[in-house]
Amino acid sequence: MTQKFSKPPTTMVNTIGFIGTGAMASSLIGGIIGKGLYTPDQIQCSDPYPPAREAASKKGYNVSESNSIVCTNAKDAVFLAVKPNCVMSACKDIAEAEQLDAVIVSIAAGVTLEALENAMPGKRIVRVMPNTPCLVGEAASGFSLGT
């Protein structure tokens, strides 16, 4: 079955993706849009939970059930924003994305950079620990670059 976005992306340049659209992803997206770094139509996102996809679609994001579509359409970065118990499944989808040149930004708590690099060999990965004030553009985040 082919997955389609709820609306077609208006541009494929300067796009970011979010795998997961929960509280932290929503805060990050809100801050990113609020600061004018990206517009809603430049956001690609996926989530297995239908109400989360519907909420993201209402905000004007390009929404899919498929992580693969997010990986295909996100050109700048893909944020891995899922619960730790879902990370390896999402990493598998990212690792299989052949045309993915975007940097992978993991905000998954408790998942080491080593585990991420082992699950997604050859991908550029950054592990980030943001906090919720990112919604208003005032976050302090620690980060670690992959090898």
Side-chain angles (χ1 to χ4, degrees), residues 23-24 26-32 35 129-141:
M24 188 56 75
S26 294
S27 292
L28 287 169
I29 295 169
I32 288 168
K35 292 294 183 181
M129 289 289 90
N131 56 7
T132 52
C134 64
L135 180 59
V136 294
E138 300 297 329
S141 299

Side-chain angles (χ1 to χ4, degrees), residues 19 71 78 80 90-97 100 104 120 123:
I19 296 177
C71 292
V78 173
L80 183 55
C91 285
K92 182 177 183 281
D93 293 337
I94 294 169
E96 292 173 354
L100 179 63
I104 309 304
M120 299 178 285
K123 303 294 185 196

Side-chain angles (χ1 to χ4, degrees), residues 63-79:
V63 181
S64 174
E65 192 174 339
S66 167
N67 297 338
S68 300
I69 290 177
V70 171
C71 292
T72 298
N73 292 329
K75 300 305 178 193
D76 297 331
V78 173
F79 285 78

